[in-house]
Amino acid sequence: MKTPYYQYDLQLLRQTLDAATREANKYGYTLHYAVKANANPVILNEISSYGLGADCVSGNEISAALSGGFNPKGIVFAGVGKTDEEIELAIARGIYCIHCESVQELMTIQKIASAMQTTANVALRVNPNVDAHTHKHITTGTMANKFGLTVEEARRIIKNFDRYSNLNLFGLHFHIGSQITEMNVFEELAQRVNELQHDFYANGEPAYLNLGGGLGINYQNPDSELIPPFMNYFDVFARNLNRNSWQSIHFELGRSLVGQCGKLVTRVLYTKKMGSKNFAIVDAGMNALIRPALYGAYHRIVNTSTSSSKMERYEVVGPLCESTDILGTNVLMPVTQRNDVLEVLSCGAYAEAMSSRINLRDIPDYCFTNQLQEKTITKTGAPLQG
Ligand SMILES: *Cc1c(COP(=O)(O)O)cnc(C)c1O
């Protein structure tokens, strides 16, 4: 297959889904897959077959989730900038719940639902002001960013909800950030949710609580932790969240479900030395994986072509005309040559989904394997070569 391409391990995806659903089922938690992590149609079909709902952040994601086999009654819809058309689509398709992020949005949903002579289900996305202790560009639950309603706004809306005659208020939604690896952050979130639901609902808690996603994965040593710590994650909520048996508790996992099942396979075009630096110039750049350029994110990179025991440090860079077009810096690899194949690990989430046609590059192809290599699926139907 022509490089660069994304290679997904279906068996690992299934093992991950098995683990996540098993741990969530212990507590009767409902899972939604955050489609924005990877909307590959094969992945959507696989995840919907496990009975998960979907968490969408655009109208096109709602359409993709429906095509991918998700039940509309399991779809939730978030985002700070929903257009009227997207809101109409969400209502027309009968999705489960719209997560509302501003007062103007709530008024808009009311107006649209009224014009459509129907009622829409909403929950309020509240910014709980909890610091996720993650990279500042993927923190969403503090006052320094654009997401959600303030606590004061949410309190006022709930008090005066009668005026929204075409809306059903299900409850509350929270999502504080991504790639969170410290469990005490989730503990803090659970405790904050306890306070807020008590504060907002004097006469009994809301029927619906959605705690968002954000569980991180191990980018440093993916092989040591291919399946994220779902047991600890859900256990933290089970121990810290005050919950009545009739409340339904939802989560929206993206990265942790798909992150480790994908890699980006790329070929070395050239190597060169400039000053003290060795460059390995590869055929995939920020068009295929933008996370290092966008957030300085780390991905493990391995050379699978050589067994040389002589090691060198490389800047692994893409072919694009941008100085930030770097996949890895200071990468320790065996001495690398033109035509060697490199694998960039942990590329199942936010890689293909954020790919672009910058410099008019093609969007990379993809293929699926399972461990036995008995079956492969490629976008173009091309056979997978070893
Ligand atoms: C991105 C996002 C998620 C998923 O985040 P992960 O870190 O991939 O688990 C969940 N909910 C909302 C509202 C999001 O925007």
Side-chain angles (χ1 to χ4, degrees), residues 127-200:
N127 186 324
N129 207 11
V130 171
D131 187 349
H133 299 294
T134 180
H135 190 277
K136 69 177 190 309
H137 291 166
I138 49 176
T139 293
T140 58
T142 70
M143 290 304 158
N145 62 62
K146 67 183 176 182
F147 296 100
L149 294 151
T150 65
V151 168
E152 292 69 32
E153 285 171 322
R155 189 185 294 125
R156 215 173 318 125
I157 291 168
I158 292 167
K159 221 180 200 169
N160 301 302
F161 206 80
D162 301 353
R163 71 179 60 169
Y164 300 104
S165 51
N166 294 80
L167 304 182
N168 291 324
L169 181 59
F170 274 13
L172 304 173
H173 171 237
F174 305 86
H175 173 69
I176 57 171
S178 201
Q179 186 52 22
I180 298 167
T181 51
E182 294 171 33
M183 290 297 151
N184 58 353
V185 170
F186 294 117
E187 189 174 325
E188 201 184 322
L189 171 64
Q191 285 160 0
R192 189 84 181 104
V193 172
N194 294 341
E195 284 166 26
L196 291 175
Q197 56 170 339
H198 185 74
D199 170 351
F200 295 162

Side-chain angles (χ1 to χ4, degrees), residues 14-57:
R14 288 174 183 156
Q15 288 168 345
T16 308
L17 290 165
D18 281 333
T21 50
R22 184 182 61 236
E23 297 304 327
N25 286 344
K26 279 187 188 168
Y27 310 107
Y29 293 158
T30 303
L31 295 186
H32 302 260
Y33 169 58
V35 171
K36 74 171 193 272
N38 192 327
N40 182 293
V42 182
I43 289 186
L44 293 183
N45 273 310
E46 194 62 36
I47 296 179
S48 66
S49 79
Y50 276 72
L52 275 76
D55 163 42
C56 299
V57 292

Side-chain angles (χ1 to χ4, degrees), residues 333-345:
M333 290 193 297
V335 170
T336 293
Q337 292 173 355
R338 174 170 161 82
N339 277 326
D340 282 358
V341 171
L342 307 188
E343 292 185 351
V344 186
L345 306 183

